[in-house]
Amino acid sequence: MENKNDKQVMDIKELAEYLGIGRSTIYNLIKKKKIPASKIGKQYRFSKEVVDSWLKDKIITKKEPSVTK
């Protein structure tokens, strides 16, 4: 049996579950062009691979303090 997280293409509901955020938040991110999405007809689809890459790009890390001489 296939695990839900093994899907390569997700719809809004599946993406919301995968990211742990609400569907309205995803619609807002789409509207602001902040999340990679494909529109097929009237429905949005999300590639798990692209979403995972997008998440990696959004990692917030502490900057190293700059050393001045």
Side-chain angles (χ1 to χ4, degrees), residues 26-43:
I26 293 172
Y27 281 113
N28 285 331
L29 290 169
I30 293 168
K31 186 177 178 182
K32 294 176 184 176
K33 298 183 184 203
K34 300 272 186 178
I35 192 168
S38 298
K39 192 168 186 181
I40 301 171
K42 294 182 179 184
Q43 298 179 348

Side-chain angles (χ1 to χ4, degrees), residues 1-8 14 17 48:
M1 193 165 129
E2 185 177 309
N3 185 346
K4 282 185 182 183
N5 290 336
D6 289 342
K7 287 189 79 170
Q8 294 303 306
E14 292 165 332
E17 190 174 301
K48 183 179 182 301

Side-chain angles (χ1 to χ4, degrees), residues 2-68:
E2 185 177 309
N3 185 346
K4 282 185 182 183
N5 290 336
D6 289 342
K7 287 189 79 170
Q8 294 303 306
V9 177
M10 298 176 278
D11 61 18
I12 293 273
K13 182 180 177 186
E14 292 165 332
L15 182 65
E17 190 174 301
Y18 181 66
L19 296 178
I21 60 177
R23 288 184 285 184
S24 60
T25 301
I26 293 172
Y27 281 113
N28 285 331
L29 290 169
I30 293 168
K31 186 177 178 182
K32 294 176 184 176
K33 298 183 184 203
K34 300 272 186 178
I35 192 168
S38 298
K39 192 168 186 181
I40 301 171
K42 294 182 179 184
Q43 298 179 348
Y44 289 100
R45 293 292 184 260
F46 305 87
S47 163
K48 183 179 182 301
E49 182 179 335
V50 173
V51 170
D52 287 343
S53 177
W54 172 77
L55 283 172
K56 287 177 188 173
D57 289 344
K58 297 296 178 191
I59 291 175
I60 298 170
T61 58
K62 215 183 235 187
K63 282 192 169 188
E64 301 264 338
S66 59
V67 178
T68 57

